[in-house]
């Protein structure tokens, strides 16, 4: 076998640009990781324990938080170790796995946000039909597809890439994202087509679907009474904030890689998906949802009493 095919380790050079901020970033990421996992687990446990939270809206929130925990656990330990290491290297197989987990879990976020948007649409626009439409079976199918479809769509291009010849071992990134496609000697039309299909179906389509459902909600809420408008704003605004911030970070990652931009700004912007974004889910969905907040207050008051 040629040496070119026997590449074991890749060097991540994105850390060079951030070396002066190394300890600050390690501190911030460690705090975000601990807080995200801690608060997400508390909210998931509350939803699991209390029967009045066994509704589709709260089930989707729990699924989104579980996805955040999986995302953080898949990405943070490796990032923290690389920031604290003198040499930032990763094996080729581990890089492929990290790339797969990153895009699968990110896409699952889009699908879960789309499921939540549909749930809110049915709840506000078709309240009488809500129990018939949002059954346990439908909710289970939506949750299964939210994880299964992204995993299958991301896995195929990754598997095709694994058998391609590598000409470079330098990765201009802080983790294994779509920059990995620049390592190969040639291109694969089949893989490129599958990547485009996956990009459209896993991000563009859910994004447009969410915009459509929220637009319909706002139109109907505007024509309804004040109470309906208040409910629509209270339930939809957090989803919109998460959607646009998450979409912006994903779009920035894809666009900058296609333009091959190399700067401090690129690395810092990509790290935003690790520095604060994971905390948005437990903060927004935990503190903004009235029923969850009520149970959180009871939990902490009981803890203080003990």
């Amino acid at each position: 076998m040629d040496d070119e095919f026997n590449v074991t380790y890749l060097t991540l050079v994105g850390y060079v640009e951030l070396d002066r901020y190394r300890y600050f970033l390690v501190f911030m990421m460690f705090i975000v990781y601990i807080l995200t996992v801690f608060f997400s687990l508390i909210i998931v446990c509350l939803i699991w324990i209390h029967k009045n939270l066994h509704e589709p809206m709260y089930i989707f929130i729990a699924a989104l938080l579980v996805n955040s925990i999986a995302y953080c656990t898949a990405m943070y330990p490796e990032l923290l170790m690389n920031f604290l290491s003198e040499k930032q290297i990763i094996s080729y197989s581990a890089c492929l796995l990290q790339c797969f987990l990153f895009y699968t879990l990110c896409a699952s976020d889009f699908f879960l946000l789309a499921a939540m948007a549909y749930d809110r649409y049915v709840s506000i626009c078709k309240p009488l039909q809500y129990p018939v439409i949002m059954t346990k079976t439908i909710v289970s199918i939506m949750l299964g597809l939210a994880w299964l479809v992204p995993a299958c769509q991301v896995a195929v291009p990754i598997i095709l890439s694994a058998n391609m010849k590598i000409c470079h071992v330098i990765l201009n990134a802080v983790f294994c994202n779509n920059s990995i496609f620049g390592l190969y000697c040639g291109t694969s039309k089949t893989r490129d087509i599958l990547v485009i299909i996956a990009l459209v179906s896993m991000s563009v389509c859910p994004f447009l679907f969410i915009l459509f459902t929220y637009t319909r909600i706002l139109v109907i809420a505007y024509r309804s009474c004040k109470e309906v408008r208040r409910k629509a704003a209270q339930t939809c605004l957090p989803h919109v904030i998460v959607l646009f911030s998450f979409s912006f970070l994903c779009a920035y990652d894809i666009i900058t890689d296609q333009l091959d931009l190399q700067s401090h700004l690129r690395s810092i912007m990509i790290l935003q998906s690790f520095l604060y974004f994971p905390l948005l889910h437990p903060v927004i969905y935990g503190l903004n949802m009235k029923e969850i907040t009520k149970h959180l207050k009871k939990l902490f008051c009981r803890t203080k009493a003990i």
Side-chain angles (χ1 to χ4, degrees):
M1 183 179 292
D2 295 333
D3 290 338
E4 294 172 311
F5 288 91
N6 197 28
V7 177
T8 305
Y9 292 99
L10 305 176
T11 302
L12 301 166
V13 297
Y15 289 90
V16 175
E17 302 171 348
L18 302 172
D19 188 64
R20 67 180 71 178
Y21 315 112
R22 175 192 298 188
Y23 296 109
F24 170 76
L25 291 172
V26 167
F27 174 76
M28 290 298 296
M29 290 171 64
F30 180 75
I31 295 298
V32 169
Y33 176 57
I34 296 299
L35 291 178
T36 300
V37 174
F38 177 71
F39 285 118
S40 295
L41 282 175
I42 287 179
I43 296 172
V44 170
C45 289
L46 287 176
I47 294 173
W48 179 274
I49 293 169
H50 298 284
K51 290 185 178 181
N52 68 319
L53 299 181
H54 292 181
E55 299 178 6
M57 176 177 65
Y58 298 110
I59 292 173
F60 287 132
I61 289 174
L64 197 64
L65 295 177
V66 169
N67 200 66
S68 293
I69 294 172
Y71 173 82
C72 291
T73 304
M75 303 301 296
Y76 273 75
E78 182 70 24
L79 283 169
L80 291 172
M81 285 190 293
N82 281 333
F83 269 112
L84 295 174
S85 301
E86 292 300 322
K87 293 183 179 181
Q88 290 78 33
I89 58 175
I90 185 171
S91 67
Y92 178 54
S93 57
C95 190
L96 289 175
L97 177 60
Q98 189 180 66
C99 186
F100 168 76
L101 292 174
F102 175 69
Y103 286 110
T104 297
L105 294 172
C106 285
S108 293
D109 255 18
F110 270 115
F111 277 77
L112 290 170
L113 289 172
M116 293 172 69
Y118 180 71
D119 174 71
R120 293 300 85 208
Y121 168 75
V122 177
S123 175
I124 295 172
C125 302
K126 300 180 180 181
L128 297 178
Q129 298 176 344
Y130 184 82
V132 178
I133 296 175
M134 297 303 296
T135 63
K136 290 183 179 181
T137 302
I138 295 298
V139 172
S140 299
I141 291 173
M142 294 172 73
L143 289 175
L145 292 176
W147 280 300
L148 183 61
V149 172
C152 293
Q153 289 194 303
V154 175
V156 175
I158 294 293
I159 292 171
L160 291 176
S161 299
N163 296 321
M164 293 179 65
K165 183 179 178 181
I166 293 179
C167 284
H168 309 282
V169 293
I170 305 297
L171 193 64
N172 183 40
V174 292
F175 65 97
C176 297
N177 56 4
N178 56 356
S179 300
I180 196 172
F181 295 137
L183 301 177
Y184 302 108
C185 302
T187 59
S188 170
K189 291 184 179 181
T190 303
R191 185 202 64 190
D192 292 343
I193 291 172
L194 290 172
V195 167
I196 294 172
I197 293 174
L199 176 64
V200 172
S201 62
M202 294 190 307
S203 57
V204 177
C205 288
F207 180 82
L208 294 176
F209 175 78
I210 295 169
L211 285 183
F212 171 76
T213 54
Y214 285 157
T215 301
R216 289 288 299 161
I217 290 172
L218 292 175
V219 170
I220 293 175
Y222 179 76
R223 296 173 180 172
S224 302
C225 62
K226 184 178 179 180
E227 180 62 23
V228 174
R229 289 197 295 269
R230 186 192 64 80
K231 181 181 178 182
Q234 183 180 11
T235 57
C236 295
L237 184 60
H239 300 180
V240 172
I241 293 173
V242 172
L243 173 67
F244 277 97
S245 59
F246 184 57
S247 299
F248 174 76
L249 291 172
C250 291
Y252 187 89
D253 175 47
I254 295 170
I255 293 171
T256 53
D257 182 71
Q258 293 300 315
L259 297 177
D260 197 25
L261 298 178
Q262 300 183 16
S263 64
H264 291 281
L265 179 62
R266 180 191 178 189
S267 298
I268 292 173
M269 285 299 296
I270 290 176
L271 277 177
Q272 298 309 302
S273 57
F274 302 103
L275 289 177
Y276 70 87
F277 183 77
L279 266 178
L280 284 180
H281 289 162
V283 170
I284 288 179
Y285 296 118
L287 300 179
N288 190 67
M289 305 305 290
K290 186 178 179 180
E291 288 298 318
I292 293 178
T293 303
K294 184 171 68 175
H295 287 297
L296 281 172
K297 287 180 180 179
K298 288 182 179 179
L299 175 65
F300 285 110
C301 289
R302 190 182 305 163
T303 304
K304 288 181 180 180
I306 294 174

